[in-house]
Amino acid sequence: MLFGVFLTLGVGVLSIGLRSFQNSYLQKAGALGILVATYLAVYFISGSWIWGLAAAVGWLFLPWLEILTRIRALRLPKEKQLRPKSPPSSDTFPALSDITREIEDEGFVHVGDAGWDWEDYRQFFRLFYREEDRAQAAICLNEQHDFSFYYLRISSRARDGTAWTTWNYPLSYGLKLTPLFRINRQRADRSFWQLYQSHREFLRRNGVDPAQIDPLDEERIESEMEKDLRDQIAHNIHKGVLKQTATGDVKYSWRGMIYLWCQFLVDLVRL
């Protein structure tokens, strides 16, 4: 009995330690270790490997608690109109100034702040542009209730409408991207310099000629972002991920909720 207790505790502590590292491989190993620790705990308590396996697999269905509560009740506007927006306070987003300086150090110019609010859901975008290679960059802050996160995005928009985008979005992305988006996803712990170097390599790897990149000004950057948001909503309605409500808003369909869960599983196993 003591052997089982110490083995389970050892695997659990090791797994939590691995999850604290910034290396994605170690984090995934930690996630796997938590499943193993759960299996061992239930197995040693019940004496049944079937119950142990069921408990471990149960972790994979944990996202349904949020999907069936918060996500199912979520409503979003069909049209998202960006407006000039004041930056969040240093208490809300303490890293904003440091990230801004980091982006400007790479030759990007701060062209404006924008965002939109909807009920208790808020988005803030700090927009940048680099004339030399016509690259857009953005600091994106998402807030809902008492939960918030940010990510960085670099985009190069070709004249044919293709948006070559590098980002470090930290969560499972909840909507399908339109066919014009080409995504180079990086880890959430990557610095902007690392993202920018990865983006340049991403363009080279796909044979994107700088002459194909459409030059943009501040007004066009915001208008193109609004168009991207509208097109994405329309695309997800067409794919059945979202559906329109009687009031004109949109919400997740059952197909969309299953899609969210599948995205969680994909992220869980992605190395």
Side-chain angles (χ1 to χ4, degrees), residues 76-78 244-250:
L76 293 172
K78 189 176 180 180
Q244 195 163 348
T245 67
T247 59
D249 303 329
V250 293

Side-chain angles (χ1 to χ4, degrees), residues 130-177:
R130 192 174 191 271
E131 185 68 37
E132 288 80 356
D133 52 8
R134 301 172 180 177
Q136 306 165 234
I139 304 171
C140 311
L141 174 68
N142 289 4
E143 298 178 87
Q144 187 176 19
H145 294 297
D146 56 352
F147 174 72
S148 65
F149 68 91
Y150 77 89
Y151 62 98
L152 307 178
R153 185 178 70 189
I154 306 171
S155 297
S156 298
R157 192 177 298 273
R159 296 183 188 275
D160 63 359
T162 303
W164 300 91
T165 301
T166 297
W167 68 9
N168 61 350
Y169 196 86
L171 306 175
S172 302
Y173 196 63
L175 294 173
K176 290 180 178 288
L177 295 167

Side-chain angles (χ1 to χ4, degrees), residues 64-78:
W64 278 103
L65 292 176
E66 183 177 10
I67 291 173
L68 293 176
T69 54
R70 186 179 68 85
I71 300 298
R72 189 180 181 188
L74 182 65
R75 300 292 185 272
L76 293 172
K78 189 176 180 180

